[in-house]
Amino acid sequence: AQKVTQAQTEISVVEKEDVTLDCVYETRDTTYYLFWYKQPPSGELVFLIRRNSFDEQNEISGRYSWNFQKSTSSFNFTITASQVVDSAVYFCALSEAKGAQKLVFGQGTRLTINP
Amino acid sequence: DAGVTQSPTHLIKTRGQQVTLRCSPKSGHDTVSWYQQALGQGPQFIFQYYEEEERQRGNFPDRFSGHQFPNYSSELNVNALLLGDSALYLCASSLALEGTDTQYFGPGTRLTVL
């Protein structure tokens, strides 16, 4: 069975600090997808990134970066120079690469950026 | 480009009643998935509809049922409501191409059962 663990329930930092959100996953599939979604107070899940299990290259998008390490089954998310607008709940998710590709979510990490 | 829309935004029901939630997928998408998110938890997969049929189902009782229409929109029905059904119900749409199935979510319907 697939499982995603986000051990950090809540993180609070001061604006402009860097912050890393941890994600560890379990799956028996050799091919799968990993995702990060952001959920602001409005409730809508906003897609941030999808990573194929064959692509371990790290990715950077502006202040956001993702570190995928298959050897440790981790897919961590770093926000550089955090801003108040980054405050939200962040979810890591896993899906199989075939069929319905249902998303299995972690419990989420509530990130608060203080001014 | 219209995103995923859901209606209603909020809903209050009493135990034993039935409820219908609606979802219109993002333009160009043909697959709709439904998730239940209890307070403080991650979303849980309910089921997915593709070509007007249930493609896969999560660990939810038969009280939860759905439908997909020819225009790809979808409904989620919940019968005999329980207090534990109170949650945010999220609809996600995607395009059923193998290996490219990123799901985009709507704003959700918050259901409160009293």
Side-chain angles (χ1 to χ4, degrees):
Chain A
Q2 298 180 322
K3 183 180 179 182
V4 175
T5 301
Q6 295 179 254
Q8 303 151 309
T9 305
E10 295 190 32
I11 298 176
S12 180
V13 300
V14 176
E15 199 172 20
K16 298 184 183 177
E17 286 186 12
D18 299 346
V19 57
T20 296
L21 308 182
D22 297 333
C23 173
V24 174
Y25 63 92
E26 296 175 28
T27 181
R28 295 178 184 174
D29 296 333
T30 55
T31 304
Y32 50 89
Y33 291 103
L34 294 164
F35 301 81
W36 275 95
Y37 285 87
K38 174 182 181 180
Q39 188 173 44
S42 61
E44 180 173 348
L45 282 168
V46 178
F47 167 73
L48 296 177
I49 190 172
R50 183 187 74 196
R51 173 63 70 212
N52 185 307
S53 56
F54 290 129
D55 182 5
E56 290 192 65
Q57 189 173 12
N58 292 330
E59 182 159 337
I60 298 175
S61 176
R63 297 184 297 106
Y64 295 172
S65 62
W66 291 270
N67 182 0
F68 175 31
Q69 292 196 346
K70 210 168 179 179
S71 60
T72 57
S73 298
S74 64
F75 186 43
N76 297 336
F77 173 31
T78 297
I79 302 175
T80 302
S82 61
Q83 301 175 2
V84 173
V85 293
D86 295 327
S87 297
V89 180
Y90 290 85
F91 289 96
C92 180
L94 168 70
S95 80
E96 56 190 4
K98 55 185 178 181
Q101 298 183 18
K102 69 174 185 181
L103 291 167
V104 175
F105 286 87
Q107 294 286 82
T109 297
R110 180 176 298 279
L111 176 63
T112 301
I113 310 298
N114 299 297
Chain B
D1 182 19
V4 180
T5 60
Q6 292 186 242
S7 64
T9 305
H10 293 87
L11 205 52
I12 299 175
K13 292 286 188 178
T14 57
R15 280 177 296 175
Q17 285 190 313
Q18 176 265 342
V19 67
T20 297
L21 311 182
R22 296 176 176 83
C23 171
S24 291
K26 182 179 169 67
S27 178
H29 284 181
D30 57 8
T31 302
V32 173
S33 302
W34 287 93
Y35 292 81
Q36 180 195 65
Q37 185 180 17
L39 196 62
Q41 304 294 317
Q44 298 288 320
F45 176 76
I46 302 174
F47 43 52
Q48 183 183 88
Y49 276 84
Y50 171 64
E51 292 188 336
E52 301 180 49
E53 292 192 358
E54 186 180 286
R55 189 179 186 187
Q56 188 175 359
R57 187 180 186 90
N59 189 26
F60 280 81
D62 292 343
R63 298 187 297 108
F64 290 77
S65 63
H67 188 77
Q68 185 179 34
F69 300 94
N71 67 353
Y72 307 120
S73 67
S74 177
E75 289 182 349
L76 164 65
N77 301 292
V78 187
N79 295 322
L81 286 167
L82 303 174
L83 295 179
D85 295 331
S86 294
L88 179 66
Y89 288 85
L90 294 162
C91 168
S93 75
S94 54
L95 184 61
L97 293 175
E98 195 71 29
T100 62
D101 201 8
T102 293
Q103 296 183 26
Y104 294 88
F105 285 80
T109 294
R110 186 162 297 281
L111 171 65
T112 301
V113 182
L114 302 177

